[in-house]
Amino acid sequence: MGFITADTRATWLDTGPTGIDAAAEDLVTWGADGSADPYCRLTLGNPKDWPVGLFSHGEDTWTRFDCGMTEFLRRVLSADSRAEAMQDSALWGAGLHRL
């Protein structure tokens, strides 16, 4: 994940995100989806309070989720609209069709 984190930090610098008070060095990538959108922890303050950051290649934007990684995954896996991520995947029904 070190190489992926370095790539994510370069993306941060290239895209110049607005509305998220963090520096590239604050990002630690912990995953990605099928669209290669990186999922990061923003290492700000106490580790138990680190929020999630997500870069969407499709929209070329960063989004901050004010919850930890576990809560973020719970939201994604339960299709909670507060964590609109992986929307292009079969997890959310994309690409599926009825016979």
Side-chain angles (χ1 to χ4, degrees):
M1 293 306 294
F3 173 77
I4 304 280
T5 294
D7 188 50
T8 300
R9 289 174 177 174
T11 299
W12 180 273
L13 294 172
D14 290 343
T15 57
T18 58
I20 302 175
D21 187 23
E25 298 80 30
D26 297 327
L27 302 173
V28 175
T29 306
W30 53 267
D33 63 18
S35 299
D37 294 340
Y39 293 40
C40 311
R41 296 191 82 183
L42 301 173
T43 59
L44 307 168
N46 189 328
K48 70 180 182 102
D49 299 325
W50 288 352
V52 170
L54 165 71
F55 180 73
S56 172
H57 285 94
E59 297 176 14
D60 205 30
T61 59
W62 286 91
T63 304
R64 175 183 166 143
F65 297 91
D66 288 320
C67 61
M69 184 173 63
T70 303
E71 175 61 15
F72 175 78
L73 288 172
R74 187 200 65 75
R75 291 177 185 180
V76 168
L77 295 172
S78 63
D80 185 324
S81 63
R82 293 177 294 165
E84 293 182 2
M86 297 186 216
Q87 299 226 354
D88 294 333
S89 75
L91 177 68
W92 286 80
L96 299 178
H97 61 278
R98 294 185 179 187
L99 298 176

